[in-house]
Amino acid sequence: EGMFVRNKSQADRIYTVLDASDYWKTPVEKSSRSMMNIVFSTGDADLDTRFWKEAAQEGLVGLKGHRLVGGLRASLYNSQSKSAVDALVDFIEDFEEMNG
């Protein structure tokens, strides 16, 4: 039960930032969203690639989306720390500010 609350809180933190912006696209209906794998995109494949490459330089790895679908994916498994989620949210906001 505690893990569920933690996982939901982390996912909600990221979805809140994505949903508050017109820059980010979230292709999954809210009722079907995963708490473990959050998929999102800028809507531009080149910008998406730039996002995950720049994120990797900041230590945020594994954000490249599915090889056939593209986009971006943040995986939030039980071992993910709050500080890692905070760093991702900060990077998402900074990337939009610099490129939006």
Side-chain angles (χ1 to χ4, degrees), residues 4-42:
F4 173 82
V5 171
R6 177 182 169 187
N7 293 346
K8 183 167 179 357
S9 174
Q10 289 181 337
D12 287 348
R13 174 122 164 74
I14 295 171
Y15 282 125
T16 296
V17 170
L18 297 173
D19 289 341
S21 170
D22 291 331
Y23 185 76
W24 300 103
K25 317 297 183 252
T26 52
V28 179
E29 290 289 327
K30 287 184 180 185
S31 63
S32 299
R33 287 178 172 174
S34 170
M35 290 189 305
M36 292 291 112
N37 289 297
I38 298 172
V39 293
F40 59 106
S41 172
T42 63

Side-chain angles (χ1 to χ4, degrees), residues 41-59:
S41 172
T42 63
D44 178 307
D46 292 334
L47 274 177
D48 289 349
T49 298
R50 199 159 113 215
F51 177 90
W52 66 259
K53 285 183 176 182
E54 289 180 14
Q57 292 174 349
E58 298 296 321

